Amino acid sequence: MSDYTVNLLWVLLIASFGFSAFAILLSISRQRRGRATAAAYTPSEDVASEAARKVLREFEKNGQSADAALVTWSPDTLRKILADDLPDAQVIVVSNREPYIHNIKDDGVQLLVPASGLVSALEPITRACAGTWIAYGGGTADRLTVDKDDRVQVPPGNPSYTLRRVWLTEEEYQGYYLGFANEGLWPLCHIAFTRPVFRASDWDAYEAVNRKFADTVVAEARNERPIVLVQDYHFALLPRMIRQRLPDAIVITFWHIPWPNSEVFSICPWRERILEGLLGSSIIGFHTQFHANNFTESVDRFLESRIERADAAISYGGQTTLVHAYPISIEWPAQLLAKLPSVEECRASVRDRFGLSTDTKLCVGVERLDYTKGILDRFHALDELFTRYPEWIGKVVFLQIAAPSRGTLPAYQQLHDECRRYAEELNRRYGSETYSPILMVAEHHRQEQVYEVYRAADICMVTSLHDGMNLVAKEFVAARDDEQGVLLLSTFAGASRELLEALIVNPYDAAMMSEALLQALTMTPDEQRERLRPMREMVRDNNVYRWAGSMLLDAARLRKRGDLDRVTGTGERPPSNTNNVISMFERARKAAS
């Protein structure tokens, strides 16, 4: 090699080092300027922050177009979707809980509308679609109020859809509902540190009840192509049972509770059967993308399947299932608000009922008495507040409305006893003859009563230890048309992904919650308004009709794609024992080629 060549190589090497050093120095300089800018940052200087928060909400809708935010979602919107995109489609809703319960009382038959998040979300949908709702008939007068086909037209006084009741024996109910669903799947799916209990007899009952509901769906279907909306963890086996008998049905399963990671899910002895059952769905919906991802990872770990992550689809057993996030919401505007008096009248009524003075701050919690809701953690936070800031003793009252739930199960009996004992202890320690810091009302309330409490409250605490969505948070926001009141919301509730202006708290941190409680107690009316207004806009724009409409539009796309497959000859179903799985997207590409 010549001296000239050697010298040239050295020059190039030195130049390379020089450019590298310059790039490093430039990067360090930019990082320092960035840190200096961040240190000088104040929220008021970020003129795009509010727009960014709205975009964040939109992207968390898992592929829902930003154009959807421009649509006014209402019952008419759903009816138009059905007329234009799913003409002549029959909508069938399946859930364990029924929207109307008839009970025998001393003076005759009493109608009860349960204060349930699932019911409040689905009832206006079924009304708008004039559908059929299939549910377990557990009311003491339910059999007396149905026709010969076990149907009753609801709502009473203004019928718009059919309620079809399914009857279960006491053994079936104990095994399927209290046993496998609520001693097994419920604690399995919630990070609340309650050990799941799995019994073979409960599984047998669960399977039998799912089959009974499948028989009812087939009997109620007017043709072979209904749209079936299967609700929640009570019916993990139902989707495949329906598709085996109605292969042209569109089955949309919505899982209302969290889905655990695959390591936790592996605890379940029948994990493969549950996944196979759910993958009979055309679409599986979750509240958050995180839970949808957990489900996909569980399938990937335990079943031989093909996962199309870019398309959020899973192919298994010759069928393709879309796995999407559809954050559930509530009706807007809530019809019952028109029946309620003003906020001032609600405040006066609630305070008079519980003997509260006008200058007492009222903090409320509303839910079933369940160990996942963080009720005890609220009591701990109030205890911490009084310890740190004793000047608030006598000035704030916490009203806990806790509807009795699954009271025969040991974990729920224990929770009820712990809540009662702790409330009594705090009342002895901080109370007096005229003042009790905790009022615990363990009884069922009608929705009108619940909304009256929302409107009367200064603070609403939603401190779930783990929750799919939690509609109490959205109901409180919707109830406050005066744009006053403060929402404390657990970071472990799905609603915290949308209600960004709430005071987001960690329910496991009593000290943090006490500070957030103090912030809520001292928040100015102007700040309350600034926080509530965008949350109300979010609930208005992303209401329950948008939740249902998004799923129905996806169902319509699947139906059109299936019709195209049949026309082009690419939609032949493989035999049930084949391992040859072809994704719907590959079939579409094949048809286009």
Side-chain angles (χ1 to χ4, degrees), residues 180 185 188 203 237 259 262-278 298 301-303:
F180 190 77
L185 288 180
L188 178 73
W203 170 257
L237 305 180
W259 189 276
S262 61
E263 187 71 18
V264 172
F265 184 68
S266 69
I267 295 171
C268 182
W270 299 279
R271 60 200 182 197
E272 289 87 0
R273 293 284 306 281
I274 288 173
L275 294 173
E276 288 172 349
L278 287 170
S298 296
R301 179 172 177 180
F302 297 114
L303 295 182

Side-chain angles (χ1 to χ4, degrees), residues 8 54 59 93 134 180 197 320 339 430 466 472 517 585:
L8 180 61
K54 290 181 179 178
F59 275 98
V93 174
I134 299 173
F180 190 77
V197 177
T320 298
K339 306 174 186 177
Y430 300 113
H466 200 191
V472 167
L517 192 52
F585 305 98

Side-chain angles (χ1 to χ4, degrees), residues 311-324:
D311 298 311
I314 299 173
S315 296
Y316 177 79
Q319 294 177 339
T320 298
T321 303
L322 301 184
V323 183
H324 283 185

Side-chain angles (χ1 to χ4, degrees), residues 454-516:
Y454 291 148
R455 289 165 74 78
D458 296 292
I459 302 166
C460 179
M461 293 187 75
V462 177
T463 56
S464 309
L465 304 180
H466 200 191
D467 224 329
M469 176 55 69
N470 194 297
L471 293 180
V472 167
K474 295 187 176 183
E475 288 174 351
F476 172 75
V477 168
R480 299 314 297 258
D481 50 11
D482 63 334
E483 297 182 344
Q484 292 296 291
V486 183
L487 174 64
L488 264 70
L489 179 58
S490 168
T491 187
F492 303 116
S496 68
R497 306 297 188 272
E498 297 181 283
L499 302 178
L500 306 178
E501 292 78 14
L503 298 183
I504 307 299
V505 297
N506 176 0
Y508 293 92
D509 188 343
M512 175 199 183
M513 280 222 290
S514 71
E515 293 297 329

Side-chain angles (χ1 to χ4, degrees), residues 379 416-431 436-440:
F379 295 173
H416 179 270
D417 292 341
E418 288 179 357
C419 288
R420 179 178 48 78
R421 282 196 302 267
Y422 197 13
E424 291 173 353
E425 178 189 341
L426 293 185
N427 286 338
R428 281 195 303 270
R429 195 188 316 164
Y430 300 113
S436 297
I438 295 181
L439 302 175
M440 188 165 169

Side-chain angles (χ1 to χ4, degrees), residues 142-381:
D142 276 356
R143 288 181 183 269
L144 303 177
T145 52
V146 296
D147 62 17
K148 61 181 179 63
D149 297 311
D150 298 324
R151 303 186 185 113
V152 58
Q153 299 303 308
V154 291
N158 185 27
S160 57
Y161 67 93
T162 301
L163 173 59
R164 168 66 153 88
R165 286 170 172 155
V166 177
W167 316 115
L168 303 180
T169 66
E170 182 62 25
E171 292 76 15
E172 286 175 329
Y173 182 80
Q174 290 286 335
Y176 136 83
Y177 179 77
L178 293 175
F180 190 77
N182 288 307
E183 281 192 290
L185 288 180
W186 180 267
L188 178 73
C189 291
H190 288 86
I191 303 172
F193 308 107
T194 298
R195 177 174 175 148
V197 177
F198 294 109
R199 308 179 190 90
S201 58
D202 290 344
W203 170 257
D204 291 341
Y206 186 84
E207 189 174 21
V209 170
N210 273 246
R211 186 162 286 109
K212 181 177 285 191
F213 271 83
D215 293 341
T216 306
V217 169
V218 173
E220 291 296 320
R222 293 193 295 265
N223 55 51
E224 295 184 350
R225 307 182 75 197
I227 307 292
V228 186
L229 306 178
V230 177
Q231 304 303 309
D232 225 354
Y233 61 103
H234 310 93
F235 299 113
L237 305 180
L238 183 59
R240 185 159 297 279
M241 292 177 175
I242 294 172
R243 289 288 288 278
Q244 286 172 344
R245 298 172 63 180
L246 295 173
D248 291 327
I250 295 290
V251 181
I252 304 173
T253 300
F254 194 82
W255 194 266
H256 289 261
I257 63 176
W259 189 276
N261 63 50
S262 61
E263 187 71 18
V264 172
F265 184 68
S266 69
I267 295 171
C268 182
W270 299 279
R271 60 200 182 197
E272 289 87 0
R273 293 284 306 281
I274 288 173
L275 294 173
E276 288 172 349
L278 287 170
L279 289 176
S281 310
S282 314
I283 301 170
I284 301 176
F286 297 90
H287 290 301
T288 69
Q289 187 58 45
F290 181 70
H291 297 149
N293 292 345
N294 279 350
F295 175 81
T296 301
E297 292 304 321
S298 296
V299 173
D300 194 23
R301 179 172 177 180
F302 297 114
L303 295 182
E304 289 291 332
S305 60
R306 178 164 183 171
I307 297 175
E308 304 272 358
R309 296 185 188 275
D311 298 311
I314 299 173
S315 296
Y316 177 79
Q319 294 177 339
T320 298
T321 303
L322 301 184
V323 183
H324 283 185
Y326 304 95
I328 199 170
S329 194
I330 61 173
E331 182 180 27
W332 184 283
Q335 288 191 356
L336 57 82
L337 276 180
K339 306 174 186 177
L340 291 176
S342 67
V343 169
E344 291 74 16
E345 291 173 283
C346 288
R347 287 176 67 86
S349 173
V350 170
R351 288 170 184 275
D352 181 65
R353 188 186 318 153
F354 293 103
L356 306 178
S357 62
T358 56
D359 59 347
T360 300
K361 293 285 188 178
L362 177 60
C363 182
V364 303
V366 180
E367 52 264 303
R368 291 183 302 104
L369 190 62
D370 191 284
Y371 53 78
T372 66
K373 302 301 182 182
I375 297 174
L376 280 170
D377 301 271
R378 289 170 213 169
F379 295 173
H380 285 298

